[in-house]
């Protein structure tokens, strides 16, 4: 089916002739336009204006799926190898970027550009998820379909990128944290499936379940959600714990599948039986729920409600492995360590040359040699050098340090966001050093 769609030669319509009812394709990367999908039927004149504002002179359209036809169209060339892309996918030339340049200066410039691109994609996904959640109870069927498509777009925008960036942005406050947390858990969970023999359908189910895992919090009052958990009274703690039960009930009302419901209901269960709501042991927890349980636990350590209690990624992973190992599926925990490396993204480290740096991206093949952002007070942060320790073999990481130990200026330079940012190099083969 995908090959058949790619072989179709759709005609083009000039941007000036766009109108509601046309089913169009946007041949731009997902993060470069404001729409949920790369292909859809234009619903309003406002969407026409947004499409025209993209600056594209023409758009492909599907006459069969359109409710109207333009006054004139442009026939596509007869032979267009690899075009058009499958509906909803990025064009071939942009879906898999070329490997980074070997020239150090150019490599750093390309790296920064990719970080910026995926940064935009993450913020866009957060905005879409926020709007979808608002419509979830009013238009459940349509909204769930759009969430499924969002998962597919996230796979394209994040998982297929040679250098993948997972951002949990701290500039946006006032309730948005829940959307960033859901996205973070969803994308990191799907990343772990690469080494866990998940089928594409299982990965999709996992991604959707992870996006919705905290849906039950919609039923918990804000006065409880916004309170520091350390200050909860026992009734407040018990009320918040009911979000798994609330999520299951809401999920059934929305018509979610059994496997997605299991993720929502079991994402606080632990392998040793110490979790809730039912204290299930490992063999009774579904595989997708085991993945989400682990990733949810990790992200809550790095990004708690009280940010003063936040662990560094290095501390969080070390804590989980050394002191909470029995709570998780061993194979999934090992896969997470392989993905995150010895020094997970976001870790603050001192180098053998006494420089201070933040780990930017993991090198799965050489976990002790990630890319790091150097602190250089003589340069603005946007111009700070990024050091690839795989290339700069004379420099090593000495140790990880807590951000609280840094002078305020250094901390602000390296960690300007309230929340942790994760970077992953999805192009390198997994291995060990």
């Amino acid at each position: 089916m995908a090959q058949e769609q790619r072989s179709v030669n759709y005609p083009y319509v000039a941007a000036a002739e766009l109108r509601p009812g046309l089913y169009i394709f946007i041949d731009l990367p997902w993060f470069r336009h404001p729409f949920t999908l790369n292909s859809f039927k234009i619903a309003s004149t406002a969407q026409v204006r947004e499409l025209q504002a993209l600056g594209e002179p023409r758009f492909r359209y599907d006459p069969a799926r359109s409710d109207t036809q333009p006054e004139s169209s442009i026939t596509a060339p007869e032979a267009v190898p690899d075009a058009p892309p499958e509906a909803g996918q990025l064009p071939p030339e942009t879906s898999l970027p070329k490997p980074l340049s070997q020239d150090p200066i150019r490599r750093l410039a390309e790296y920064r550009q990719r970080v910026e691109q995926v940064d935009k994609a993450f913020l866009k996904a957060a905005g879409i998820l926020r709007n979808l959640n608002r419509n979830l109870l009013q238009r459940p069927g349509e909204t769930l379909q759009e969430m499924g498509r969002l998962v597919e777009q996230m796979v394209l925008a994040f998982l297929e990128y040679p250098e993948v960036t997972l951002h949990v942005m701290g500039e946006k406050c006032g309730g948005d944290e829940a959307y960033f947390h859901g996205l973070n858990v969803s994308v990191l969970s799907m990343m772990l499936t690469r080494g866990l023999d998940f089928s594409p359908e299982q990965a999709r189910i996992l991604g959707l379940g992870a996006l919705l895992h905290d849906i039950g919090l919609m039923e918990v009052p804000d006065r409880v959600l916004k309170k520091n958990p350390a200050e909860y009274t026992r009734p407040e703690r018990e009320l918040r714990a009911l979000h798994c039960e609330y999520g299951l009930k809401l999920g059934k009302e929305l018509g979610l599948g059994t496997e997605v419901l299991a993720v929502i209901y079991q994402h606080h269960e632990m392998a040793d039986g110490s979790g809730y709501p039912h204290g299930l042991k490992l063999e009774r927890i579904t595989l997708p729920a085991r993945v989400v349980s682990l990733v949810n636990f990790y992200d809550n350590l790095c990004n708690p409600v009280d940010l003063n209690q936040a662990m560094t990624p290095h501390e969080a992973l070390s804590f989980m492995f050394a002191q909470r190992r029995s709570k998780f599926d061993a194979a999934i925990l090992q896969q997470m360590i392989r993905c995150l490396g010895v020094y997970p993204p976001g870790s603050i480290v001192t180098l053998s040359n006494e420089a201070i740096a933040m780990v930017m991206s993991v090198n799965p093949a050489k976990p002790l040699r990630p890319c790091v952002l150097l602190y250089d007070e003589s340069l603005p942060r946007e111009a700070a050098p990024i050091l690839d320790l795989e290339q700069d073999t004379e420099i090593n990481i000495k140790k990880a340090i807590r951000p609280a130990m840094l002078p305020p200026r250094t901390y602000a330079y390296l960690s300007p966001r309230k929340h942790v940012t994760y970077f992953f190099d999805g192009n390198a083969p997994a291995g060990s050093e």
Side-chain angles (χ1 to χ4, degrees), residues 254-274:
L254 295 170
L256 294 173
T258 304
E259 291 175 283
V260 175
L261 290 175
V263 171
I264 293 171
Y265 194 47
Q266 298 179 353
H267 73 273
H268 280 290
E269 298 285 4
M270 297 294 172
D272 61 359
S274 64

PDB file of all heavy atoms in Angstrom, residues 254-274:
ATOM      1  N   LEU A 254     -13.908   6.065  26.332  1.00  0.00           N
ATOM      2  CA  LEU A 254     -13.393   6.560  25.051  1.00  0.00           C
ATOM      3  C   LEU A 254     -13.225   5.458  24.023  1.00  0.00           C
ATOM      4  O   LEU A 254     -12.915   5.727  22.857  1.00  0.00           O
ATOM      5  CB  LEU A 254     -12.041   7.255  25.272  1.00  0.00           C
ATOM      6  CG  LEU A 254     -12.070   8.526  26.119  1.00  0.00           C
ATOM      7  CD1 LEU A 254     -10.661   8.967  26.472  1.00  0.00           C
ATOM      8  CD2 LEU A 254     -12.801   9.636  25.390  1.00  0.00           C
ATOM      9  N   GLY A 255     -13.364   4.207  24.439  1.00  0.00           N
ATOM     10  CA  GLY A 255     -13.237   3.092  23.514  1.00  0.00           C
ATOM     11  C   GLY A 255     -11.815   2.681  23.221  1.00  0.00           C
ATOM     12  O   GLY A 255     -11.530   2.131  22.148  1.00  0.00           O
ATOM     13  N   LEU A 256     -10.898   2.919  24.141  1.00  0.00           N
ATOM     14  CA  LEU A 256      -9.502   2.536  23.929  1.00  0.00           C
ATOM     15  C   LEU A 256      -9.352   1.020  23.947  1.00  0.00           C
ATOM     16  O   LEU A 256     -10.111   0.311  24.623  1.00  0.00           O
ATOM     17  CB  LEU A 256      -8.612   3.148  25.014  1.00  0.00           C
ATOM     18  CG  LEU A 256      -8.482   4.674  25.017  1.00  0.00           C
ATOM     19  CD1 LEU A 256      -7.709   5.136  26.235  1.00  0.00           C
ATOM     20  CD2 LEU A 256      -7.803   5.154  23.746  1.00  0.00           C
ATOM     21  N   GLY A 257      -8.350   0.517  23.236  1.00  0.00           N
ATOM     22  CA  GLY A 257      -8.083  -0.904  23.180  1.00  0.00           C
ATOM     23  C   GLY A 257      -7.546  -1.451  24.491  1.00  0.00           C
ATOM     24  O   GLY A 257      -7.022  -0.701  25.332  1.00  0.00           O
ATOM     25  N   THR A 258      -7.630  -2.765  24.642  1.00  0.00           N
ATOM     26  CA  THR A 258      -7.228  -3.423  25.884  1.00  0.00           C
ATOM     27  C   THR A 258      -5.780  -3.133  26.258  1.00  0.00           C
ATOM     28  O   THR A 258      -5.464  -2.886  27.433  1.00  0.00           O
ATOM     29  CB  THR A 258      -7.430  -4.949  25.754  1.00  0.00           C
ATOM     30  OG1 THR A 258      -8.788  -5.205  25.416  1.00  0.00           O
ATOM     31  CG2 THR A 258      -7.103  -5.649  27.064  1.00  0.00           C
ATOM     32  N   GLU A 259      -4.867  -3.156  25.271  1.00  0.00           N
ATOM     33  CA  GLU A 259      -3.449  -2.977  25.584  1.00  0.00           C
ATOM     34  C   GLU A 259      -3.141  -1.541  26.016  1.00  0.00           C
ATOM     35  O   GLU A 259      -2.299  -1.318  26.882  1.00  0.00           O
ATOM     36  CB  GLU A 259      -2.601  -3.370  24.372  1.00  0.00           C
ATOM     37  CG  GLU A 259      -2.628  -4.867  24.094  1.00  0.00           C
ATOM     38  CD  GLU A 259      -1.870  -5.208  22.821  1.00  0.00           C
ATOM     39  OE1 GLU A 259      -2.431  -4.969  21.720  1.00  0.00           O
ATOM     40  OE2 GLU A 259      -0.753  -5.702  22.926  1.00  0.00           O
ATOM     41  N   VAL A 260      -3.832  -0.575  25.416  1.00  0.00           N
ATOM     42  CA  VAL A 260      -3.643   0.817  25.823  1.00  0.00           C
ATOM     43  C   VAL A 260      -4.207   1.027  27.227  1.00  0.00           C
ATOM     44  O   VAL A 260      -3.599   1.697  28.063  1.00  0.00           O
ATOM     45  CB  VAL A 260      -4.312   1.785  24.815  1.00  0.00           C
ATOM     46  CG1 VAL A 260      -4.213   3.230  25.303  1.00  0.00           C
ATOM     47  CG2 VAL A 260      -3.661   1.659  23.442  1.00  0.00           C
ATOM     48  N   LEU A 261      -5.367   0.422  27.490  1.00  0.00           N
ATOM     49  CA  LEU A 261      -5.961   0.510  28.829  1.00  0.00           C
ATOM     50  C   LEU A 261      -5.020  -0.064  29.887  1.00  0.00           C
ATOM     51  O   LEU A 261      -4.914   0.473  30.993  1.00  0.00           O
ATOM     52  CB  LEU A 261      -7.301  -0.237  28.864  1.00  0.00           C
ATOM     53  CG  LEU A 261      -8.457   0.400  28.092  1.00  0.00           C
ATOM     54  CD1 LEU A 261      -9.667  -0.524  28.118  1.00  0.00           C
ATOM     55  CD2 LEU A 261      -8.833   1.757  28.685  1.00  0.00           C
ATOM     56  N   ALA A 262      -4.330  -1.166  29.539  1.00  0.00           N
ATOM     57  CA  ALA A 262      -3.408  -1.792  30.498  1.00  0.00           C
ATOM     58  C   ALA A 262      -2.264  -0.845  30.845  1.00  0.00           C
ATOM     59  O   ALA A 262      -1.827  -0.778  32.000  1.00  0.00           O
ATOM     60  CB  ALA A 262      -2.868  -3.098  29.932  1.00  0.00           C
ATOM     61  N   VAL A 263      -1.759  -0.102  29.857  1.00  0.00           N
ATOM     62  CA  VAL A 263      -0.690   0.864  30.124  1.00  0.00           C
ATOM     63  C   VAL A 263      -1.186   1.935  31.091  1.00  0.00           C
ATOM     64  O   VAL A 263      -0.503   2.291  32.058  1.00  0.00           O
ATOM     65  CB  VAL A 263      -0.200   1.514  28.814  1.00  0.00           C
ATOM     66  CG1 VAL A 263       0.756   2.668  29.107  1.00  0.00           C
ATOM     67  CG2 VAL A 263       0.493   0.488  27.929  1.00  0.00           C
ATOM     68  N   ILE A 264      -2.379   2.459  30.831  1.00  0.00           N
ATOM     69  CA  ILE A 264      -2.948   3.510  31.686  1.00  0.00           C
ATOM     70  C   ILE A 264      -3.145   2.989  33.109  1.00  0.00           C
ATOM     71  O   ILE A 264      -2.829   3.682  34.092  1.00  0.00           O
ATOM     72  CB  ILE A 264      -4.290   4.000  31.097  1.00  0.00           C
ATOM     73  CG1 ILE A 264      -4.043   4.718  29.760  1.00  0.00           C
ATOM     74  CG2 ILE A 264      -5.019   4.910  32.074  1.00  0.00           C
ATOM     75  CD1 ILE A 264      -5.313   5.040  28.992  1.00  0.00           C
ATOM     76  N   TYR A 265      -3.654   1.767  33.237  1.00  0.00           N
ATOM     77  CA  TYR A 265      -4.009   1.226  34.553  1.00  0.00           C
ATOM     78  C   TYR A 265      -2.794   0.741  35.337  1.00  0.00           C
ATOM     79  O   TYR A 265      -2.757   0.799  36.565  1.00  0.00           O
ATOM     80  CB  TYR A 265      -4.996   0.082  34.356  1.00  0.00           C
ATOM     81  CG  TYR A 265      -5.709  -0.361  35.614  1.00  0.00           C
ATOM     82  CD1 TYR A 265      -6.288   0.558  36.485  1.00  0.00           C
ATOM     83  CD2 TYR A 265      -5.830  -1.712  35.918  1.00  0.00           C
ATOM     84  CE1 TYR A 265      -6.963   0.158  37.622  1.00  0.00           C
ATOM     85  CE2 TYR A 265      -6.502  -2.137  37.060  1.00  0.00           C
ATOM     86  CZ  TYR A 265      -7.064  -1.184  37.914  1.00  0.00           C
ATOM     87  OH  TYR A 265      -7.732  -1.594  39.039  1.00  0.00           O
ATOM     88  N   GLN A 266      -1.760   0.274  34.631  1.00  0.00           N
ATOM     89  CA  GLN A 266      -0.639  -0.394  35.302  1.00  0.00           C
ATOM     90  C   GLN A 266       0.638   0.431  35.345  1.00  0.00           C
ATOM     91  O   GLN A 266       1.669  -0.074  35.788  1.00  0.00           O
ATOM     92  CB  GLN A 266      -0.341  -1.726  34.597  1.00  0.00           C
ATOM     93  CG  GLN A 266      -1.475  -2.723  34.635  1.00  0.00           C
ATOM     94  CD  GLN A 266      -1.134  -4.015  33.898  1.00  0.00           C
ATOM     95  OE1 GLN A 266      -0.093  -4.134  33.232  1.00  0.00           O
ATOM     96  NE2 GLN A 266      -2.001  -5.008  34.008  1.00  0.00           N
ATOM     97  N   HIS A 267       0.622   1.679  34.935  1.00  0.00           N
ATOM     98  CA  HIS A 267       1.894   2.407  34.792  1.00  0.00           C
ATOM     99  C   HIS A 267       2.550   2.748  36.134  1.00  0.00           C
ATOM    100  O   HIS A 267       3.673   3.264  36.149  1.00  0.00           O
ATOM    101  CB  HIS A 267       1.715   3.662  33.938  1.00  0.00           C
ATOM    102  CG  HIS A 267       0.987   4.795  34.597  1.00  0.00           C
ATOM    103  ND1 HIS A 267      -0.386   4.920  34.574  1.00  0.00           N
ATOM    104  CD2 HIS A 267       1.433   5.878  35.305  1.00  0.00           C
ATOM    105  CE1 HIS A 267      -0.751   6.010  35.222  1.00  0.00           C
ATOM    106  NE2 HIS A 267       0.341   6.616  35.682  1.00  0.00           N
ATOM    107  N   HIS A 268       1.887   2.454  37.258  1.00  0.00           N
ATOM    108  CA  HIS A 268       2.524   2.607  38.571  1.00  0.00           C
ATOM    109  C   HIS A 268       2.737   1.261  39.259  1.00  0.00           C
ATOM    110  O   HIS A 268       3.136   1.235  40.430  1.00  0.00           O
ATOM    111  CB  HIS A 268       1.702   3.531  39.477  1.00  0.00           C
ATOM    112  CG  HIS A 268       1.904   4.984  39.203  1.00  0.00           C
ATOM    113  ND1 HIS A 268       3.081   5.648  39.507  1.00  0.00           N
ATOM    114  CD2 HIS A 268       1.085   5.916  38.631  1.00  0.00           C
ATOM    115  CE1 HIS A 268       2.971   6.924  39.142  1.00  0.00           C
ATOM    116  NE2 HIS A 268       1.777   7.104  38.612  1.00  0.00           N
ATOM    117  N   GLU A 269       2.501   0.165  38.550  1.00  0.00           N
ATOM    118  CA  GLU A 269       2.809  -1.153  39.113  1.00  0.00           C
ATOM    119  C   GLU A 269       4.311  -1.397  39.021  1.00  0.00           C
ATOM    120  O   GLU A 269       4.975  -0.906  38.105  1.00  0.00           O
ATOM    121  CB  GLU A 269       2.054  -2.253  38.362  1.00  0.00           C
ATOM    122  CG  GLU A 269       0.529  -2.146  38.437  1.00  0.00           C
ATOM    123  CD  GLU A 269      -0.036  -2.565  39.790  1.00  0.00           C
ATOM    124  OE1 GLU A 269       0.766  -2.865  40.711  1.00  0.00           O
ATOM    125  OE2 GLU A 269      -1.276  -2.564  39.936  1.00  0.00           O
ATOM    126  N   MET A 270       4.849  -2.159  39.983  1.00  0.00           N
ATOM    127  CA  MET A 270       6.280  -2.438  40.043  1.00  0.00           C
ATOM    128  C   MET A 270       6.529  -3.944  40.020  1.00  0.00           C
ATOM    129  O   MET A 270       5.724  -4.723  40.534  1.00  0.00           O
ATOM    130  CB  MET A 270       6.896  -1.834  41.315  1.00  0.00           C
ATOM    131  CG  MET A 270       6.809  -0.318  41.376  1.00  0.00           C
ATOM    132  SD  MET A 270       7.812   0.464  40.091  1.00  0.00           S
ATOM    133  CE  MET A 270       7.332   2.177  40.237  1.00  0.00           C
ATOM    134  N   ALA A 271       7.656  -4.338  39.449  1.00  0.00           N
ATOM    135  CA  ALA A 271       7.951  -5.754  39.260  1.00  0.00           C
ATOM    136  C   ALA A 271       7.974  -6.543  40.568  1.00  0.00           C
ATOM    137  O   ALA A 271       7.684  -7.739  40.585  1.00  0.00           O
ATOM    138  CB  ALA A 271       9.287  -5.915  38.526  1.00  0.00           C
ATOM    139  N   ASP A 272       8.327  -5.864  41.669  1.00  0.00           N
ATOM    140  CA  ASP A 272       8.402  -6.573  42.955  1.00  0.00           C
ATOM    141  C   ASP A 272       7.083  -6.554  43.718  1.00  0.00           C
ATOM    142  O   ASP A 272       7.008  -6.992  44.874  1.00  0.00           O
ATOM    143  CB  ASP A 272       9.509  -5.967  43.831  1.00  0.00           C
ATOM    144  CG  ASP A 272       9.259  -4.492  44.164  1.00  0.00           C
ATOM    145  OD1 ASP A 272       8.235  -3.929  43.697  1.00  0.00           O
ATOM    146  OD2 ASP A 272      10.085  -3.897  44.883  1.00  0.00           O
ATOM    147  N   GLY A 273       6.028  -6.033  43.104  1.00  0.00           N
ATOM    148  CA  GLY A 273       4.722  -6.020  43.743  1.00  0.00           C
ATOM    149  C   GLY A 273       4.476  -4.835  44.657  1.00  0.00           C
ATOM    150  O   GLY A 273       3.448  -4.786  45.336  1.00  0.00           O
ATOM    151  N   SER A 274       5.379  -3.861  44.668  1.00  0.00           N
ATOM    152  CA  SER A 274       5.249  -2.724  45.586  1.00  0.00           C
ATOM    153  C   SER A 274       4.478  -1.554  44.993  1.00  0.00           C
ATOM    154  O   SER A 274       4.312  -0.525  45.653  1.00  0.00           O
ATOM    155  CB  SER A 274       6.644  -2.243  46.014  1.00  0.00           C
ATOM    156  OG  SER A 274       7.361  -1.751  44.884  1.00  0.00           O
TER     157      SER A 274
END
